[in-house]
Amino acid sequence: MIYKAPAKEIRFALNELAELPAVCSLPGYEDCSVELVDAILEEGAKFAEGVLAPINKQGDKGAKWSPDFTVTAAEGFKEAWQQYVEAGWVGLRAPAEFGGQGLPALVALAAEEMWCSANLAFSLAPMLTLGAIEAINHHASEELKAVYLPRMSTGEWTGTMNLTEPQAGSDLAQVRSKAIPVGDGSYKISGQKIFITWGEHDMADNIVHLVLARLPDAPAGVKGISLFIVPKFLVNADGSLGERNDVRCVSLEHKLGIHGSPTAVMSFGDEGGAIGYLVGEANKGLGYMFTMMNHARLGVGIEGMAVSERAYQKAVEYARDRVQSRAVGSPDPAGVAIIRHPDVRRMLMTMRAQIEAQRALAFYAAAALDRAARHPVASEAARNQALVNFLIPIVKGWNTEQANEITSLGMQIHGGMGYIEETGVAQYCRDARITAIYEGTTGIQALDLIGRKTASENGATARWLLEEVRSTVAKLAAAGFDSIAANLEAAAKDAERCVDFIVGTFGSQPQLAAAGSVPFLKLMGITLGGWMMGRAALIAKAQQGEEDADTDFLAAKQVTARFYAEHLLPQTGGLAAAILHGADSVLALDEALF
């Protein structure tokens, strides 16, 4: 089965739910238009379907490490990267002043969905490169920008971020890599970094590593971390590539999935010190890296939804073709396609409804990201930044946690054939699993959500969103969507009670709030996803009467929203009960008894 980009779904989420026309009207985005985006999506679909999807399975065989510390990308990947670069895809949201197209994040993320669905392992190279571009553009000197951003914006050079060390996973206060001033403005970097996505490969001419390290006089903890650019090849004054830097890939990790994306163990300074260049001010590296992290976490949320979409398409195809057993309640003994069996329909609808909700919420967050960056009214920009801050851990955590369920359902629909590697279904499950782990596990996203994003502002953004939900509930009731309105209203009440609990306990009893943090993240994801589905139902009903309306598509939108309301929104009741009344039992068992 070859991937088919869900163009109608993407356009609906972009134009109707994320309000693309309004985003295109922001200062600096005047050259963007719905028509331009349609053309981008059309060409992007062709590239995803025709170039990336066909090499996804062979990419599962993995990249190859050699004893000379080089890595050869999976078969077909280098050629695909060259086509990707030549078509200008890397530069969609790269800054225009450095050769990118400077389009809204919303537009770029819509294209990234197609890359992630078609070939998740391949898509990680441009995603990390764009994150590195973002960090350099916001924080590096003009001299460093001029050297690195033009080649990165075209994709001639790729980028990475090097945070994790063997002893310093999520706790970056433990980072030990060193940076020693040379005296000419450069630094000698030494240390080891692990889990470096696309840390070494043969697809691009140079790799620009962003590395966290400590200066000799740095204070302890996260306040003593600086950020450095450490290129694979040094760059001469005329922009040409110079000698190989003292940085090498000493091994590749053997992983459950995303085999086409080499995950490198990087060693810096084995022969005296890798040359690096300070980004911004000393000891502020962690804050700079979070510029990259916000985009990366939103991108990973897109990854979870996108691999789920691929699994859904495969499951629908199989369910239409696989004939097995008579129809339930039918006297005819002849077998029927399994898509006619109620439980298979339930599984397919569970996949479909969540994917639609996740896409809408992710695009809504991306639009807020654009407004936060470009809105001319300061108060609106600030409100949208608060929205971004609140939504990113939800999009990252909820989309990726559910990707494990959705891809598993895809395997279940295939039955035993799904467990056989030749069908390709297992790859989706294996690839999806990492998305809930890297760029901050779900637990880390949830702690961020309850602390910095909810309790610290006394629940202001959460309550604003819930007011928006209630406004939609009233419109749904007026439009005759009684079931959707009732279930969404109940979910909003559950969410509000839990926001009050988090705000009320985090300061005095943070462990109680933390015990329910992941259930809270999921509850907010389900609730806000239901809000998006309710909005979609209202828009679809309004559009049904228009000339040339796609009546089947719009009818499906309303049915899917009803399914979401009746099967997924009721989960908030159980989650709320666990959050409000279950914290003590999380902490009650003595650790010696585990």
Side-chain angles (χ1 to χ4, degrees):
M1 178 258 183
I2 296 298
Y3 164 73
K4 181 71 174 173
K8 288 183 183 178
E9 294 289 350
I10 291 174
R11 286 191 178 95
F12 185 90
L14 274 179
N15 296 327
E16 308 301 337
L17 299 174
E19 300 176 346
L20 174 64
V23 171
C24 290
S25 71
L26 293 169
Y29 292 150
E30 293 89 353
D31 292 338
C32 180
S33 66
V34 172
E35 293 74 23
L36 174 64
V37 174
D38 280 347
I40 290 170
L41 294 177
E42 183 178 347
E43 291 304 311
K46 292 176 184 176
F47 190 86
E49 295 165 2
V51 178
L52 298 184
I55 61 172
N56 185 51
K57 191 170 184 179
Q58 63 201 45
D60 199 35
K61 297 176 183 177
K64 295 180 181 178
W65 179 86
S66 298
D68 64 353
F69 310 114
T70 62
V71 172
T72 303
E75 182 184 351
F77 275 45
K78 184 174 183 179
E79 295 77 11
W81 182 259
Q82 292 308 310
Q83 293 181 62
Y84 191 83
V85 170
E86 289 166 8
W89 291 118
V90 177
L92 280 183
R93 63 177 165 98
E97 59 267 35
F98 295 106
Q101 297 173 48
L103 288 168
L106 174 60
V107 176
L109 284 169
E112 286 170 30
E113 177 192 333
M114 296 188 286
W115 318 144
C116 294
S117 283
N119 194 322
L120 181 58
F122 179 95
S123 75
L124 302 183
M127 188 193 82
L128 269 296
T129 299
L130 286 164
I133 289 170
E134 192 77 15
I136 293 170
N137 190 42
H138 275 81
H139 304 297
S141 67
E142 294 303 319
E143 292 78 11
L144 288 175
K145 291 180 190 179
V147 171
Y148 293 99
L149 290 186
R151 302 283 183 85
M152 295 176 73
S153 295
T154 62
E156 294 172 78
W157 299 350
T158 60
T160 71
M161 59 178 175
N162 292 245
L163 289 77
T164 307
E165 299 180 4
Q167 80 293 337
S170 300
D171 183 6
L172 293 175
Q174 305 302 319
V175 164
R176 295 177 187 164
S177 293
K178 297 178 182 178
I180 308 298
V182 173
D184 61 358
S186 68
Y187 297 77
K188 286 195 172 183
I189 311 297
S190 60
Q192 187 180 91
K193 299 289 184 175
I194 62 172
F195 301 157
I196 309 307
T197 300
W198 286 98
E200 170 61 22
H201 59 83
D202 62 342
M203 298 199 306
D205 295 336
N206 203 4
I207 303 172
V208 181
H209 301 289
L210 290 185
V211 183
L212 291 182
R214 293 185 183 279
L215 293 165
D217 59 351
V222 295
K223 294 182 179 179
I225 300 174
S226 299
L227 181 63
F228 298 86
I229 290 175
V230 185
K232 175 180 176 180
F233 288 99
L234 299 176
V235 183
N236 297 321
D238 63 359
S240 63
L241 293 182
E243 64 182 84
R244 178 74 183 259
N245 206 353
D246 186 11
V247 53
R248 54 180 65 166
C249 169
V250 295
S251 68
L252 293 181
E253 303 291 359
H254 302 281
K255 304 170 296 186
L256 177 68
I258 56 168
H259 295 144
S261 170
T263 299
V265 177
M266 302 299 298
S267 185
F268 297 85
D270 288 349
E271 297 181 352
I275 299 300
Y277 307 94
L278 180 66
V279 174
E281 298 180 36
N283 303 324
K284 293 188 176 181
L286 190 60
Y288 298 160
M289 192 64 91
F290 269 99
T291 300
M292 186 177 184
M293 192 74 78
N294 250 0
H295 279 269
R297 286 175 171 174
L298 185 54
V300 174
I302 294 288
E303 288 176 25
M305 176 269 292
V307 73
S308 297
E309 170 69 32
R310 186 74 185 268
Y312 169 70
Q313 290 189 18
K314 179 73 171 170
V316 170
E317 178 188 61
Y318 185 81
R320 291 190 193 281
D321 292 343
R322 176 63 166 168
V323 174
Q324 193 82 173
S325 304
R326 72 173 70 188
V328 175
S330 172
D332 187 347
V336 297
I338 63 172
I339 199 169
R340 293 182 59 187
H341 296 317
D343 191 57
V344 173
R345 296 286 283 271
R346 177 193 62 81
M347 289 189 282
L348 288 172
M349 287 299 295
T350 300
M351 299 171 80
R352 176 192 182 102
Q354 289 184 97
I355 292 164
E356 288 190 22
Q358 290 171 355
R359 178 182 292 112
L361 190 60
F363 287 7
Y364 179 84
L369 189 66
D370 287 319
R371 290 189 177 96
R374 300 290 183 106
H375 204 287
V377 178
S379 60
E380 275 300 295
R383 184 179 68 82
N384 277 278
Q385 186 60 57
L387 267 179
V388 169
N389 294 343
F390 187 82
L391 290 173
I392 281 181
I394 297 171
V395 169
K396 198 285 184 184
W398 180 55
N399 284 19
T400 59
E401 282 291 329
Q402 295 312 111
N404 292 304
E405 175 187 317
I406 294 167
T407 55
S408 179
L409 284 173
M411 180 179 286
Q412 190 74 11
I413 289 167
H414 280 76
M417 292 305 298
Y419 203 67
I420 305 301
E421 286 286 355
E422 283 75 9
T423 63
V425 180
Q427 183 183 353
Y428 307 143
C429 293
R430 290 187 283 102
D431 286 355
R433 191 62 191 89
I434 187 59
T435 62
I437 298 173
Y438 61 14
E439 305 300 341
T441 64
T442 308
I444 288 172
Q445 304 303 319
L447 286 175
D448 182 45
L449 178 64
I450 65 168
R452 286 192 288 266
K453 309 302 170 57
T454 302
S456 69
E457 58 173 28
N458 291 316
T461 301
R463 292 191 175 100
W464 182 88
L465 281 165
L466 292 174
E467 281 302 311
E468 294 293 299
V469 173
R470 288 193 185 87
S471 174
T472 299
V473 166
K475 294 173 184 175
L476 287 163
F481 290 113
D482 296 340
S483 177
I484 302 176
N487 282 286
L488 184 55
E489 183 176 29
K493 289 179 179 177
D494 289 331
E496 186 169 38
R497 287 189 296 142
C498 291
V499 169
D500 290 342
F501 176 80
I502 296 297
V503 170
T505 60
F506 188 84
S508 59
Q509 297 176 290
Q511 283 198 322
L512 294 183
S517 61
V518 169
F520 178 68
L521 182 151
K522 290 182 176 180
L523 183 152
M524 291 306 300
I526 293 167
T527 302
L528 297 177
W531 172 43
M532 290 293 141
M533 296 300 279
R535 291 180 61 214
L538 289 166
I539 293 165
K541 184 173 183 178
Q543 290 183 352
Q544 271 190 316
E546 296 177 1
E547 188 177 355
D548 298 326
D550 188 339
T551 55
D552 288 344
F553 175 80
L554 297 171
K557 277 277 167 224
Q558 295 170 72
V559 171
T560 306
R562 180 184 166 202
F563 176 91
Y564 188 103
E566 295 176 352
H567 289 260
L568 299 172
L569 280 175
Q571 295 175 10
T572 62
L575 290 167
I579 295 163
L580 298 171
H581 308 297
D584 284 337
S585 62
V586 171
L587 306 168
L589 188 64
D590 189 284
E591 64 185 59
L593 300 179
F594 278 94

